[in-house]
Amino acid sequence: MSGEPVRLYNSTASTPTQREAFTSGNVPVAVYGLGKMGLPLAAVYAETAGNVIGVDIDPDVVETINDGGCHVTGEPELPEVVADQVDRGRLEATTDGAAAAARASVHVIIVPTLVDDDEPDLSTIEAVVEDIAEGLSPGDLVIAESTLPPGTCEDVIYPHLAAESGLSTGEFGVAFCPERTASGTALRDIRGAYPKVVGGIDDESARVASLLYSELSSNEIHVVRDTTTAEAVKVFEGVYRDVNIGLANELGRIADDLGISVREAIETANHIPMCHLHDPGPGVGGHCIPYYPHFLLAQTEDPMPVTRTARETNDEMPAFTVEKLERELAASGTDIADATVLVLGITYRPGVEETRASPALGVIERLDELGAEVVASDPLVDPAEFGAQPVALEELPDRDFDGAILVTPQAAFDTIDWDEIDPMVVLDGRDALDLEDSHHEYHTLGGSVADRPKIIEGEGNENDEVPEYLPARNEDASASTSRADQ
Ligand SMILES: NC(=O)C1=CN([C@@H]2O[C@H](COP(=O)(O)OP(=O)(O)OC[C@H]3O[C@@H](n4cnc5c(N)ncnc54)[C@H](O)[C@@H]3O)[C@@H](O)[C@H]2O)C=CC1
Ligand SMILES: CC(=O)N[C@@H]1[C@@H](OP(=O)(O)OP(=O)(O)OC[C@H]2O[C@@H](n3ccc(=O)[nH]c3=O)[C@H](O)[C@@H]2O)O[C@H](C(=O)O)[C@@H](O)[C@@H]1O
């Protein structure tokens, strides 16, 4: 970088000149939070603009990155990109957020927004805002990528930055540009798997953020009216998922009453575009989906019964799962209080080293309450840290279990030779095992798609395309019907 940092907010330079300044490293970018999302984001900023200062409060994280290492696991290509960008001096890390803020002219917030007793916890966000404010200069842009309760940028971040920095609003910009990324595909997602949503506290903030993300991402930039709308987009995506998982779990729970495989019915129903039923399971984990509904529930007087009930349904699933096993054990003459139960999978999703709100925690807790001896296996975390006795997969044939619950289908579980393990009652929470014909008593949550629908090829419709279903926003039903007949 040559000389003073270039500051883009309120810049009068031409757009090509501003783009050139950004991509040639003259717009230093500070990224606050170098975790599962922050490090991939910092890496893509570095490969795009070549002048990134990553900030994390964890000195081990900072040291690892400055040594060219990568502490985030399960992200293809990330270790190589981080090593290369650090080696070329395009990415560095520090624990000093204020010093990083003083050097940067774009500040990106990607630290956790958690929930404490169903109330959003913005303490981490506010700590980062304090750091940024110490180094904020006229012409800077602050971008929040952490998922936030709608209204946070406008009511908390923007005024807080102005008050703490002494700058007046209009001298610096704030934008909300949500992180639409899932662990395991972070680089692909950030580089453009999905359109990038941009909401500015003012038009100039939206302009600068759009310019930056049109360089980072190959996908469209969707500019919405303001930061609150952008915050709502992200939270709504998460609430949509939580509500639909709640519906899937509610349908899965009546599989036995209906005497069907609900999963087979779901897979078949999902062949039409107006149906996108999700998967039943033992619960909803991670520090995102279980939290996002509370970002709305906590800030409206409206009871929001659909959102609230789905959240409650998902929260009940770990206990429901254990009580289903309890019933099946009792039916085979075993009292769960005298049982030894194996729990397979503790992280919230396969291959992701994250246990926050994992259904396994509720499963272990409920088994414990019922008096069972709980043994568990997970290749990514130590079960002993979660109240279960660890067991290695190779030991399973030598152990005596009354029951087992599969919570999270880690890839390593494919190596289990179930024929070598003494018969037990198995409850497969994710339809991940194939034990129908084994010597175990096998049950699932919601049935199995082993009995997939038989598809008999048709002649195909005239234009061989699945007809559009949802009428476009401004079209009336007749127009859309005629479209559907096309
Ligand atoms: N994990 C995911 O799948 C997605 C997460 N998000 C959003 O991104 C946020 C971050 O998620 P992850 O990266 O998964 O979290 P994470 O827990 O993996 O990483 C957070 C990092 O921030 C650091 N940190 C905490 N306080 C800090 C501070 N005051 N200053 C600087 N660094 C600090 C921590 O040391 C940690 O390294 C989430 O809370 C969510 O809002 C959005 C999309 C996907
Ligand atoms: C709307 C949406 O799909 N959001 C994604 C989600 O990713 P996340 O890593 O939280 O995983 P997830 O696939 O939603 O799973 C969350 C939890 O829900 C469970 N789950 C998921 C889907 C399903 O049909 N049934 C089900 O029980 C999973 O087992 C897991 O315990 O949340 C991310 C986020 O915002 O943090 C987001 O970027 C991702 O795109």
Side-chain angles (χ1 to χ4, degrees):
M1 182 184 95
S2 51
E4 266 294 298
V6 171
R7 302 183 194 279
L8 298 179
Y9 182 83
N10 283 338
S11 168
T12 53
S14 71
T15 300
T17 302
Q18 292 186 43
R19 286 185 187 283
E20 170 60 23
F22 176 54
T23 54
S24 56
N26 292 318
V27 179
V29 178
V31 177
Y32 304 80
L34 299 174
K36 297 187 297 299
M37 292 299 119
L39 184 54
L41 182 62
V44 176
Y45 261 106
E47 65 182 8
T48 306
N51 187 351
V52 176
I53 314 111
V55 180
D56 204 289
I57 54 171
D58 183 336
D60 294 338
V61 165
V62 167
E63 185 182 356
T64 301
I65 292 168
N66 285 333
D67 290 343
C70 177
H71 67 290
V72 175
T73 57
E75 290 296 351
E77 202 194 333
L78 184 62
E80 295 78 8
V81 174
V82 170
D84 176 50
Q85 295 298 315
V86 169
D87 180 51
R88 292 162 61 195
R90 297 164 64 88
L91 170 64
E92 63 179 277
T94 178
T95 55
D96 188 341
R103 286 174 51 190
S105 57
V106 171
H107 310 266
V108 184
I109 305 171
I110 181 72
V111 292
T113 32
L114 300 174
V115 165
D116 179 21
D117 196 19
D118 292 350
E119 289 292 326
D121 170 6
L122 298 179
S123 56
T124 305
I125 297 285
E126 286 161 342
V128 172
V129 166
E130 301 274 337
D131 282 347
I132 296 172
E134 278 195 52
L136 196 65
S137 301
D140 281 7
L141 176 69
V142 178
I143 297 171
E145 287 226 3
S146 299
T147 306
L148 297 171
T152 302
C153 282
E154 189 166 333
D155 302 335
V156 177
I157 294 177
Y158 195 40
H160 202 141
L161 284 168
E164 298 292 319
S165 67
L167 297 183
S168 59
T169 54
E171 283 192 277
F172 65 94
V174 171
F176 183 72
C177 308
E179 185 57 73
R180 282 168 150 178
T181 306
S183 290
T185 54
L187 287 179
R188 179 206 72 177
D189 297 345
I190 296 165
R191 286 170 176 158
Y194 312 109
K196 186 71 179 178
V197 174
V198 165
I201 205 75
D202 50 28
D203 291 346
E204 178 62 1
S205 300
R207 180 194 70 79
V208 177
S210 302
L211 181 149
L212 299 176
Y213 284 106
S214 63
E215 293 296 336
L216 256 78
S217 169
S218 60
N219 209 311
E220 298 169 343
I221 310 291
H222 290 180
V223 183
V224 294
R225 167 191 331 219
D226 54 26
T227 54
T228 304
T229 304
E231 289 161 336
V233 167
K234 180 62 185 176
V235 171
F236 287 5
E237 288 168 10
V239 169
Y240 167 85
R241 194 156 177 78
D242 197 47
V243 167
N244 276 281
I245 296 168
L247 173 60
N249 284 331
E250 187 164 88
L251 296 176
R253 287 167 67 151
I254 63 171
D256 294 345
D257 299 343
L258 297 177
I260 65 168
S261 160
V262 161
R263 287 178 196 274
E264 180 187 359
I266 284 174
E267 174 167 311
T268 307
N270 285 346
H271 277 280
I272 54 174
M274 57 286 266
C275 196
H276 181 198
L277 287 164
H278 286 33
D279 295 337
V284 176
H287 59 59
C288 301
I289 301 303
Y291 292 99
Y292 294 170
H294 293 295
F295 289 3
L296 297 179
L297 295 170
Q299 69 174 18
T300 174
E301 292 306 312
D302 188 294
M304 293 188 74
V306 174
T307 301
R308 194 179 298 278
T309 306
R311 184 81 302 273
E312 288 163 2
T313 300
N314 291 333
D315 268 344
E316 289 161 5
M317 285 313 294
F320 173 85
T321 302
V322 170
E323 286 149 23
K324 180 174 172 67
L325 179 73
E326 179 186 21
R327 288 193 298 277
E328 303 302 351
L329 282 170
S332 64
T334 302
D335 181 337
I336 198 163
D338 306 324
T340 300
V341 178
L342 170 65
V343 174
L344 289 172
I346 293 193
T347 65
Y348 85 100
R349 226 169 23 93
V352 181
E353 196 178 331
E354 175 65 71
T355 57
R356 274 176 276 200
S358 171
L361 309 188
V363 163
I364 291 169
E365 182 185 350
R366 187 66 185 128
L367 284 168
D368 208 36
E369 284 169 0
L370 293 173
E373 184 185 347
V374 189
V375 182
S377 179
D378 187 296
L380 299 177
V381 293
D382 178 1
E385 292 174 22
F386 302 93
Q389 294 169 40
V391 64
L393 294 181
E394 50 274 15
E395 289 173 45
L396 295 181
D398 306 325
R399 299 289 294 266
D400 199 11
F401 300 109
D402 300 287
I405 298 178
L406 182 124
V407 177
T408 303
Q410 304 288 9
F413 299 156
D414 294 344
T415 64
I416 298 174
D417 182 349
W418 288 90
D419 294 336
E420 292 297 309
I421 302 172
D422 289 345
M424 67 171 108
V425 177
V426 178
L427 177 49
D428 180 355
R430 292 283 172 197
D431 187 30
L433 304 173
D434 180 12
L435 299 179
E436 278 89 353
D437 303 326
S438 72
H439 60 240
H440 299 286
E441 186 183 316
Y442 178 62
H443 301 277
T444 65
L445 277 185
S448 162
V449 282
D451 358 316
R452 287 183 182 287
K454 200 180 358 293
I455 296 185
I456 297 168
E457 289 305 317
E459 294 302 310
N461 62 30
E462 277 151 48
N463 52 17
D464 251 358
E465 277 174 22
V466 174
E468 280 280 309
Y469 169 68
L470 297 178
R473 225 161 56 84
N474 299 322
E475 283 186 23
D476 62 33
S478 56
S480 63
T481 309
S482 60
R483 208 149 45 106
D485 294 343
Q486 282 162 14

